[in-house]
Amino acid sequence: MTKLKIEDFLLQNYSEQTVKSYMFAINHFLVMNPKAKRYKYRNIVEYMEEIGKQQTNAKYRVVILSAIKKYYDFLIMSGYREDHPCRKLNIKVNSNQAVQVQDLFSSEELQLLMTRENRYENLDTRNSVLLNLLIYQGLTSDEIIRLNVQDIDLDAGTIYIKASSNLNNRRLQLLAKQILLFSKYINEVRPRMLRSATDKLIITKLGKSIAVNSIHAMIEPLKPLFPDKNLNPKTIRMSVICNWLNEEKLALEHVQELAGHKWPGTTEKYFKADSLQQRELINRFFPL
């Protein structure tokens, strides 16, 4: 087994940056555990307990355990093992700790969601609008179903999001490439789909207001794109917020405003430690 082969396996589902982080943790694990190929559940638990004694930050322990799980996924795929010694092993993360950003989706991965086509043109356009709202504006399912046509200002290129008990109201910019799509949907497609009077922006194929479970059903066929990740409207939104902070490097207060978070601490949870920081932490507590 070579490093290149493991990398190729990981690159099938993850970005290059994510693979680099995983590979560093995997290589470190293998150097410290030369018999890891034959390890049982107990061995992995003991290793993670040792890490826990030195590193109390659950965020980094989750990164290390995630990498170890990928190593055993690779062994099974390669025929070296038939069982996975730690698939069900998890690290408890308190709600006030950081979001596990390594399990989210990069901007490139989110773009793959836009490649799916529907055989019905009206639904294809509607689904594109819905996906746009998820992957570019980072809206929640509840916010999407509460949108009215009047909330979209095509002339100004903005969308108004109403406040809820958990999130602030906000006015977000539409991307230039969204204007034409939204205009087509609002002025051409949506009127053809309507069956009864409603101001709701997103409607079903039967012309009625859409429900949250319908949004989840629309995402369901896209899950095979990421078999090792949990794809749903919530993780899409979380990924968008994470990418605003870590890929686009937007200011914390700006991301807080875009996401509608009431408190900056909620937004801070999405900060991702870069690869260098992860390596420094691992080397500090487990030097080779």
Side-chain angles (χ1 to χ4, degrees):
M1 180 175 56
T2 66
K3 176 182 177 181
L4 180 61
K5 290 181 180 179
I6 302 176
E7 285 182 335
D8 288 342
F9 171 70
L10 294 175
L11 285 169
Q12 293 175 7
N13 294 298
Y14 303 99
S15 66
E16 290 186 6
Q17 188 61 42
T18 299
V19 171
K20 286 181 181 178
S21 296
Y22 278 149
M23 285 307 304
F24 182 83
I26 289 171
N27 287 333
H28 202 283
F29 170 67
L30 294 179
V31 169
M32 296 185 66
N33 301 273
K35 298 181 180 179
K37 189 180 294 186
R38 299 187 296 275
Y39 268 13
K40 302 295 183 182
Y41 179 86
R42 175 180 54 80
N43 301 118
I44 309 298
V45 170
E46 290 175 352
Y47 177 71
M48 295 309 302
E49 286 179 345
E50 187 61 30
I51 288 180
K53 293 177 183 178
Q54 305 294 332
Q55 175 52 268
T56 57
N57 190 324
K59 176 178 178 180
Y60 300 105
R61 287 186 280 130
V62 168
V63 171
I64 294 171
L65 179 58
S66 296
I68 292 172
K69 287 184 177 182
K70 303 308 175 193
Y71 166 69
Y72 289 106
D73 286 340
F74 175 75
L75 291 185
I76 293 172
M77 185 277 298
S78 303
Y80 287 111
R81 292 185 67 130
E82 295 183 355
D83 64 311
H84 195 301
C86 58
R87 178 172 286 132
K88 296 183 178 181
L89 178 62
N90 291 298
I91 293 173
K92 184 177 181 180
V93 179
N94 295 330
S95 59
N96 63 344
Q97 292 182 312
V99 172
Q100 303 312 309
V101 297
Q102 75 282 348
D103 294 327
L104 300 181
F105 304 88
S106 68
S107 294
E108 291 180 357
E109 290 171 328
L110 291 178
Q111 286 297 317
L112 293 177
L113 303 180
M114 301 298 297
T115 61
R116 179 201 177 202
E117 295 183 359
N118 196 296
R119 57 178 175 167
Y120 300 108
E121 181 182 356
N122 289 346
L123 287 182
D124 194 44
T125 303
R126 185 213 63 180
N127 288 352
S128 293
V129 169
L130 203 159
L131 282 169
N132 266 253
L133 293 170
L134 287 170
I135 71 174
Y136 294 123
Q137 277 72 43
L139 302 190
T140 67
S141 296
D142 183 62
E143 287 175 331
I144 290 176
I145 67 172
R146 291 191 295 115
L147 281 176
N148 291 330
V149 174
Q150 297 86 343
D151 295 326
I152 309 296
D153 188 335
L154 293 173
D155 293 330
T158 62
I159 176 172
Y160 178 73
I161 314 301
K162 303 176 187 69
S164 67
S165 58
N166 297 318
L167 297 170
N168 292 328
N169 69 311
R170 55 208 188 274
R171 190 174 298 277
L172 303 176
Q173 286 293 136
L174 292 171
L175 301 179
K177 63 182 179 181
Q178 292 181 287
I179 302 296
L180 186 60
L181 170 65
F182 279 58
S183 177
K184 177 182 178 181
Y185 173 70
I186 291 172
N187 296 315
E188 301 176 28
V189 173
R190 185 179 175 279
R192 292 199 299 263
M193 296 174 64
L194 275 177
R195 297 292 182 272
S196 59
T198 177
D199 290 332
K200 295 302 181 184
L201 177 67
I202 304 298
I203 56 178
T204 69
K205 63 182 179 180
L206 298 178
K208 299 180 180 180
S209 301
I210 199 168
V212 168
N213 60 351
S214 296
I215 297 178
H216 282 261
M218 192 272 289
I219 297 296
E220 190 72 25
L222 299 171
K223 289 187 176 183
L225 288 170
F226 306 101
D228 294 330
K229 290 188 177 184
N230 185 18
L231 179 68
N232 57 56
K234 181 178 179 180
T235 56
I236 292 175
R237 169 177 161 82
M238 294 171 67
S239 299
V240 172
I241 298 170
C242 178
N243 295 336
W244 281 337
L245 277 174
N246 301 292
E247 290 186 10
E248 299 183 38
K249 306 296 183 183
L250 300 183
L252 176 67
E253 59 271 19
H254 184 31
V255 175
Q256 179 188 352
E257 181 180 356
L258 291 174
H261 291 156
K262 292 182 180 293
W263 308 103
T266 304
T267 313
E268 289 175 349
K269 295 178 183 179
Y270 290 85
F271 270 121
K272 180 189 295 185
D274 58 32
S275 297
L276 179 59
Q277 187 177 359
Q278 289 179 11
R279 295 182 187 189
E280 289 176 347
L281 280 166
I282 295 174
N283 281 328
R284 184 190 313 166
F285 296 111
F286 297 94
L288 296 177

